Amino acid sequence: MELTVQDSIYWIKFANERIQSEKEYLTSLDQAIGDSDHGINMARGFQQSVNKISDGSYVHVSDVFKDVAMTMMSKVGGASGPLYGTAFLRLSSAVKEKNPLDHKVFVEGLEDALNGIKQRGKANKGEKTMVDVWEPVVTLLNKNNEVTAEEIVNTAKEAMEHTKKLVATKGRASYFKEKSIGHIDPGSASSFYLFESLAKVWKSGGQA
Amino acid sequence: MNFVGIVLISHSSKIVEGIKELIRQVITDVPIEIAGGTENNEIGTSIDKIAKAIQDADQGKGVLLFYDIGSAKMNAEMAVELAETDVKLVDAPLVEGAYMAAVESGMGKSLGEIYKAMKEEF
């Protein structure tokens, strides 16, 4: 699929709607093994991102992502700020001055974003973090460009639910050690909403 | 005389205000800036606050950053990448590290010398 400026704005808007409606749920996940600020922080970060990009007129997709990155970095108080901020900043640099993005360029951008998250958080797959959702989704998208929206949603959802079984070794949840088992990682949940929203844009065949 | 600056980063402004007070009892001439809490002074850290603190603490001899937990380190790392001055992030206990660095800076030591001393101590 192709991703236009308009699609990228819809992506963030859909993600924001989802995160606003799941704000309490995200907070409850974070209450179990963290500092209970994930719902509030993500809701603030995405709302402000939407406010920012709704006002702008964009020529390149990369500029949409850059504004999202900067907003995330400065408006989100918790660890999700630098992590999502880095992800969107890497994505933005990877797709610089292109519009629309073809499948290959976009997926390479997502791969860069994933690597950015890993570097920033010093995390790898299996550590009960957002990487556990990002990596399988990027791998899926990398396989071919015939991926359906359903496959994206299913992969992301399965990956998010798998974090329940993992022991946290990164972030605030790591202080809970084995007690973190049985809980979904909040960052993997917000990442699921992000990819679910991408799938929604995907489904409309770039005609969101 | 110019000194190496110190920036204290914490999720809570009260934590860093307290540490600054503690150091100021002994060291009065070294620039110490704090970046505590989010933009709205809630619990968390803010890259903008850290960036401003770095600027304010810099007298031309560089700045050392000390942080507490979680996002503080990630935000500090991003601030270091964006900063135009000579900045180093120190992996040391916040209170002891900052105190020791302030004493060393007060003796007129360079950024590199203090950073090395920190690495040896912690």
Side-chain angles (χ1 to χ4, degrees):
Chain A
M1 86 154 234
E2 275 186 358
L3 199 85
T4 62
V5 163
Q6 201 54 42
D7 295 331
S8 66
I9 293 174
Y10 271 110
W11 178 22
I12 304 306
K13 280 190 173 168
F14 290 155
N16 180 47
E17 282 166 19
R18 198 74 168 92
I19 277 163
Q20 296 303 332
S21 63
E22 301 296 343
K23 186 170 144 182
E24 306 296 327
Y25 172 65
L26 286 175
T27 294
S28 74
L29 291 180
D30 202 20
Q31 239 150 20
I33 52 173
D35 49 1
S36 20
D37 65 355
H38 195 59
I40 299 152
N41 284 342
M42 290 305 287
R44 184 173 49 230
F46 270 93
Q47 185 58 56
Q48 302 239 16
S49 295
V50 167
N51 296 351
K52 173 98 185 160
I53 59 178
S54 302
D55 294 342
S57 61
Y58 296 95
V59 179
H60 300 299
V61 182
S62 55
D63 294 326
V64 176
F65 293 148
K66 194 174 178 195
D67 277 349
V68 172
M70 294 324 239
T71 310
M72 288 288 173
M73 279 180 213
S74 64
K75 301 295 175 198
V76 182
S80 39
L83 290 168
Y84 278 99
T86 300
F88 278 100
L89 200 60
R90 288 291 182 91
L91 177 56
S92 169
S93 324
V95 302
K96 220 174 180 69
E97 292 179 359
K98 290 193 179 80
N99 180 45
L101 311 181
D102 64 29
H103 182 89
K104 189 168 171 283
V105 168
F106 180 52
V107 174
E108 278 169 7
L110 285 178
E111 200 162 8
D112 269 12
L114 166 63
N115 289 332
I117 295 169
K118 286 176 157 180
Q119 281 164 11
R120 182 69 61 206
K122 297 177 182 68
N124 280 305
K125 196 163 169 258
E127 296 190 283
K128 205 180 180 89
T129 69
M130 58 197 284
V131 172
D132 292 316
V133 166
W134 277 74
E135 195 158 293
V137 171
V138 170
T139 305
L140 172 77
L141 294 175
N142 245 331
K143 258 189 241 162
N144 61 62
N145 53 10
E146 304 294 312
V147 176
T148 64
E150 284 71 26
E151 283 177 290
I152 299 173
V153 174
N154 291 341
T155 301
K157 191 165 189 197
E158 223 169 85
M160 168 188 74
E161 274 161 6
H162 180 69
T163 64
K164 244 187 192 181
K165 298 179 189 151
L166 303 172
V167 178
T169 54
K170 287 288 171 324
R172 211 71 87 81
S174 63
Y175 297 114
F176 289 84
K177 298 196 174 81
E178 295 77 33
K179 287 214 166 150
S180 63
I181 296 175
H183 301 279
I184 288 175
D185 169 61
S188 76
S190 56
S191 296
F192 164 62
Y193 298 140
L194 186 69
F195 287 118
E196 192 190 41
S197 306
L198 178 66
K200 204 170 158 186
V201 177
W202 206 270
K203 207 171 187 171
S204 57
Q207 302 295 314
Chain B
M1 183 173 174
N2 288 351
F3 299 96
V4 171
I6 287 164
V7 168
L8 309 171
I9 306 161
S10 169
H11 278 62
S12 156
S13 56
K14 285 182 190 162
I15 290 180
V16 276
E17 278 162 25
I19 299 171
K20 185 176 173 179
E21 198 183 0
L22 178 75
I23 300 172
R24 276 284 177 255
Q25 201 188 17
V26 200
I27 307 290
T28 51
D29 40 11
V30 172
I32 300 169
E33 295 295 331
I34 59 175
T38 64
E39 270 192 334
N40 309 319
N41 292 318
E42 285 162 12
I43 296 289
T45 51
S46 148
I47 187 166
D48 294 342
K49 273 194 179 181
I50 299 169
K52 182 169 186 310
I54 291 174
Q55 246 177 12
D56 293 346
D58 187 32
Q59 296 186 335
K61 284 188 77 177
V63 178
L64 290 163
L65 308 186
F66 295 86
Y67 62 92
D68 59 2
I69 54 174
S71 65
K73 186 174 187 184
M74 278 191 270
N75 269 324
E77 283 170 347
M78 295 197 82
V80 170
E81 287 163 27
L82 297 171
E84 281 162 10
T85 46
D86 207 357
V87 186
K88 277 199 184 300
L89 186 63
V90 185
D91 288 312
L94 181 57
V95 182
E96 296 92 324
Y99 191 95
M100 183 179 157
V103 173
E104 298 250 334
S105 174
M107 295 172 188
K109 293 197 179 171
S110 72
L111 186 74
E113 285 168 339
I114 305 173
Y115 186 71
K116 192 164 166 268
M118 292 280 125
K119 285 214 130 173
E120 282 163 9
E121 182 72 24
F122 300 105

